């Protein structure tokens, strides 16, 4: 029986990608093919079981069930699934489930493709179905061949390869059409495409798989040849038609190109500089001119049939025999090695051999490329004397490489943080530390307590944590506890029933109920009344609550992020905040630093706000005066980022031209003075000199000369004080 038809090539390429143990047997139960996964399951190599009966490789009960399944599947020409098979492998009892798919080749030869599933560890049918469905979807969408499903003569599902083959861009270009919409009126044999195709479809739907060539037409009208496989598919009691399509037009063109280039390749082979040859079962078969010249022969014909060992020094024979023996056993062997060659006149020489070995039916075929490495060996001896200097150089290079890699790690971390926190601006160490901690806790459902002064961006950080969490596709519910009236805060958070209190004329769903499965952000948590705090504690502890006016428990799954600008420990001591609630909220505290503690971020934030306002104001600010930069960096910012944003907006409104003139509030412009620190005074003085010299550091009347210091010293001082020339 010839098992090497194009159908088997198609099936092999398809099933080899499936994550299932698979074997193919004929009608008598003789194994034709087995994939590596089944071989590993049975503890056998796939090549060892070819042409063996199933009963020789399976346990008695397993073989008996498999035989019954195969016979019945071939009788009814439908795929069948076995009952659970209990068997033993490597001393362990396992449960298997097999499905047999019958196929008919050339209308007469029958085979069965059997998939084996190890169901020992399956926890539930639902999980098994989900995993199988995911594998099918992955296989379906990643298959290199086109796969589509027909129902009532129309395409109802297809993979990406099908869309590409028919020249479409998306599923809507393909689905809902018939196969004959993608066919010319007549096939190459002159038959009408519709009549011929309907006959093939009818045969496939009757249970006889079909394999045939077909002339198709793309959406742009270009015709192409394809190979088609059709078989019926039953799902939920309904019969569908499954088709696999392979565009062979490129293959046909490739075959033609191969034929045209064969002569050229032969010429290249004969005139190649390297010695190239092939051997079959240890004897020379075909060699080029360089091969004959390497071993001192006048013509290539002299070497035909010569045993390979006759061209190798006798001292190397045992090693070469071991190499061949290991390859025959299927073991891994090196593809490149050095050995000693033997010329026709008996002269030995070192040579490098690159070999590719493959089994071709019953023959072991090798393709080798050989090179005389006498000169290289001599050069290697000369190089050994310089190894010490090279080692020193390599050590220095490694030290430099390690330093660069360390710098790259820092850079990659900065880039990663900037991509994760798109709306949060900051490069200071304190902000980086907060953002790293936020990323760590985001993937969990743990409660987070964000601490920080007013205007430091607590809600922005909370939203970023939600966007990185597993609940990012759910709502982010914001509750400003300080904005809720004390009389209504409980009903706002937990809801109420109609008539729960005077004025409650309808039922109201609370914020916690709305946030079920999502994230709730409780801003200004320190403003909650004590009685509401106790109910919130219950939700955090037990995950349920009652609406006002109802005794029915409502169970919720809510991730809580709270924030406050108050000192909750002090609030506890003064009896305004429950200690037990504090410990429930303080699972993972994050403290946002005030702007005055992250001065290196001030100019970065300033430019961010400038970019945000420029379009709406119709202004193009591209520079900040040195004096303005100094004011921004030396101001205490009691209102933090919110105050900075207001200052920039106000300054942009008043600025004319492309230079931003900073105006701080009059009553706060000396927030750090007059008793400022020495660093602040030094920084302000240097800034004023730089502004006066238009930022010229060197030369006559430069800033360094005026400040009576070396230019290098001034540059170092500027770096320490964080002074950067405005862009």
């Amino acid at each position: 029986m010839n098992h090497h038809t194009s159908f088997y090539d198609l099936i092999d390429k398809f099933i080899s990608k499936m994550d299932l143990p698979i074997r193919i047997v004929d009608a008598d139960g003789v194994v034709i093919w087995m994939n590596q996964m089944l071989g590993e399951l049975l503890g056998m190599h796939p090549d060892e079981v070819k042409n063996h009966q199933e009963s020789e490789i399976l346990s008695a009960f397993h073989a008996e069930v498999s035989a019954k399944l195969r016979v019945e599947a071939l009788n009814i020409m439908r795929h069948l699934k076995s009952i659970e098979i209990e068997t033993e492998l490597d001393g362990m009892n396992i449960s298997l489930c097999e499905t047999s798919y019958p196929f008919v080749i050339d209308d007469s030869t029958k085979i069965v493709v059997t998939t084996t599933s190890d169901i020992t560890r399956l926890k539930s049918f639902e999980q098994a179905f989900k995993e199988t469905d995911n594998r099918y979807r992955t296989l379906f969408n990643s298959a290199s061949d086109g796969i589509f499903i027909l129902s009532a003569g129309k395409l109802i599902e297809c993979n990406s390869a099908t869309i590409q083959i028919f020249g479409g861009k998306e599923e809507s270009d393909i689905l809902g059409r018939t196969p004959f919409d993608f066919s010319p009126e007549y096939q190459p044999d002159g038959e009408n495409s519709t009549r011929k195709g309907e006959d093939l479809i009818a045969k496939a739907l009757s249970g006889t798989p079909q394999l045939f060539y077909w002339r198709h037409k793309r959406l742009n009208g270009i015709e192409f040849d394809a190979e088609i496989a059709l078989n019926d598919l039953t799902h939920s009691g309904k019969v569908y038609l499954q088709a696999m399509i392979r565009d062979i037009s490129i293959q046909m063109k490739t075959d033609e190109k191969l034929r045209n280039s064969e002569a050229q390749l032969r010429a290249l082979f004969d005139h190649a500089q390297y010695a190239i040859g092939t051997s079959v079962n240890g004897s020379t078969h075909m060699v080029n001119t360089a091969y004959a010249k390497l071993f001192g022969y006048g013509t290539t014909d002299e070497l035909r049939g010569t045993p390979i060992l006759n061209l190798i020094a006798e001292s190397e024979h045992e090693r070469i025999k071991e190499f061949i023996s290991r390859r025959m056993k299927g073991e891994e062997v090196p593809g490149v090695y050095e050995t000693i060659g033997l010329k026709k006149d008996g002269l030995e020489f070192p040579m490098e051999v690159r070999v590719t070995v493959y089994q071709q039916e019953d023959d072991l075929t090798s393709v080798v490329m050989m090179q005389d490495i006498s000169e290289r060996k001599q050069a290697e001896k000369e190089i050994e004397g310089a190894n010490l200097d090279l080692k020193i150089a390599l050590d220095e290079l490694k030290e430099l490489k390690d330093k660069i890699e360390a710098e790259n790690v820092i850079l990659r971390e900065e880039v990663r943080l900037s991509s994760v926190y798109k709306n949060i601006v900051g490069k200071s160490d304190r902000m980086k530390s907060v953002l790293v901690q936020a990323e760590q806790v985001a993937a969990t459902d743990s409660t987070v307590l964000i601490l920080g002064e007013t205007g430091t961006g607590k809600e922005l950080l909370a939203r970023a944590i939600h966007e990185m969490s597993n609940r990012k596709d759910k709502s982010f519910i914001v509750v400003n506890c300080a904005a809720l009236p004390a009389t209504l805060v409980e009903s706002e958070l937990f809801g109420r029933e109609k008539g729960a209190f005077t004025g409650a004329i309808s039922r109201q769903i609370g914020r916690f109920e709305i946030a079920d499965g999502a994230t709730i952000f409780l801003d200004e948590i320190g403003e909650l009344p004590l009685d509401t705090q106790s109910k919130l504690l219950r939700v955090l502890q037990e995950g349920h609550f009652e609406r006002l006016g109802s005794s029915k428990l409502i169970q919720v799954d809510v991730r809580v992020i709270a924030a406050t600008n108050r000192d909750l420990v002090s609030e506890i001591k003064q009896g305004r905040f429950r200690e037990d609630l504090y410990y429930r909220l303080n699972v993972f505290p994050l403290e946002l630093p005030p702007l005055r503690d992250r001065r290196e971020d001030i100019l970065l934030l300033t430019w961010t706000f400038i970019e945000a306002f420029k379009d709406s104001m119709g202004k193009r600010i591209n520079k900040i005066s040195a004096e303005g930069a100094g004011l921004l960096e030396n101001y205490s910012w009691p209102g933090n980022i919110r105050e900075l944003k207001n200052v920039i907006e106000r300054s942009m409104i008043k600025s004319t031209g492309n230079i931003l003139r900073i105006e701080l509030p009059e009553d706060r412009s000396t927030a750090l003075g007059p008793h400022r620190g020495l660093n602040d005074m030094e920084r302000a003085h240097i800034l004023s000199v730089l502004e006066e010299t238009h930022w010229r550091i060197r030369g006559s009347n430069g800033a360094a000369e005026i400040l009576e210091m070396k230019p290098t010293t001034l540059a170092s001082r500027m770096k320490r004080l964080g002074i950067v020339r405005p862009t």
Side-chain angles (χ1 to χ4, degrees), residues 42-60:
L42 299 177
M44 305 174 184
H45 192 278
D47 291 340
E48 297 176 0
V49 301
K50 286 183 178 179
N51 300 323
H52 284 262
Q53 287 284 341
E54 282 187 316
S55 58
E56 298 177 32
I57 64 173
L58 305 177
S59 66

Side-chain angles (χ1 to χ4, degrees), residues 366-393:
S366 302
V367 179
V368 297
M369 185 172 71
M370 301 178 178
Q371 181 182 8
D372 186 338
I373 57 173
S374 301
E375 294 181 359
R376 190 174 79 187
K377 287 294 183 182
Q378 181 63 32
E380 287 176 356
K381 292 180 180 179
E382 295 174 358
I383 291 173
E384 288 178 1
N387 276 348
L388 181 60
D389 291 339
L390 179 61
K391 183 179 183 302
I392 294 173

Side-chain angles (χ1 to χ4, degrees), residues 273-321:
Q273 182 180 0
Y274 289 98
I276 305 173
T278 63
S279 65
V280 178
N281 298 328
S283 295
T284 303
H285 177 62
M286 181 174 64
V287 300
N288 66 353
T289 303
Y291 192 103
K293 183 178 179 180
L294 179 67
F295 291 102
Y297 289 84
T299 65
T300 58
D301 291 338
E302 291 183 70
L303 284 164
R304 185 179 292 275
T306 301
I308 291 295
L309 291 179
N310 288 3
L311 305 174
I312 305 295
E314 187 175 356
S315 59
E316 294 286 291
H317 283 191
E318 291 302 320
R319 190 162 73 95
I320 300 302
K321 288 179 181 178

Side-chain angles (χ1 to χ4, degrees), residues 35-147:
N35 69 354
Q36 185 65 34
M37 185 172 287
L38 182 57
E40 293 174 356
L41 181 63
L42 299 177
M44 305 174 184
H45 192 278
D47 291 340
E48 297 176 0
V49 301
K50 286 183 178 179
N51 300 323
H52 284 262
Q53 287 284 341
E54 282 187 316
S55 58
E56 298 177 32
I57 64 173
L58 305 177
S59 66
F61 178 66
H62 189 173
E64 180 182 353
V65 173
S66 180
K68 289 180 180 179
L69 195 67
R70 180 182 72 253
V71 172
E72 187 175 352
L74 288 172
N75 284 339
I76 66 174
M77 286 309 294
R78 293 284 194 279
H79 70 275
L80 293 175
K81 189 173 183 180
S82 71
I83 60 174
E84 184 175 321
I85 301 173
E86 296 287 344
T87 186
E88 181 177 318
L89 286 176
D90 296 331
M92 296 179 61
N93 292 324
I94 66 171
S95 297
L96 303 176
C97 181
E98 295 191 338
T99 304
S100 293
Y101 300 85
F103 288 88
V104 177
I105 310 303
D106 300 330
D107 296 329
S108 59
T109 305
K110 296 182 177 180
I111 64 169
V112 175
V113 178
T114 300
T115 62
T116 303
S117 299
D118 184 352
I119 60 174
T120 308
R121 298 181 179 179
L122 295 181
K123 295 182 178 180
S124 68
F125 174 80
E126 179 183 0
Q127 183 65 22
F129 175 80
K130 185 182 298 183
E131 292 176 358
T132 302
D133 183 66
N134 288 339
R135 286 195 297 269
Y136 166 76
R137 288 293 172 186
T138 301
L139 175 62
F140 181 77
N141 287 317
S142 63
S144 58
D145 292 320
I147 305 173

Side-chain angles (χ1 to χ4, degrees), residues 15 18 20-23 33-40 46:
I15 65 178
M18 294 180 63
L20 287 172
I22 302 173
R23 66 180 182 277
W33 182 92
M34 173 193 293
N35 69 354
Q36 185 65 34
M37 185 172 287
L38 182 57
E40 293 174 356

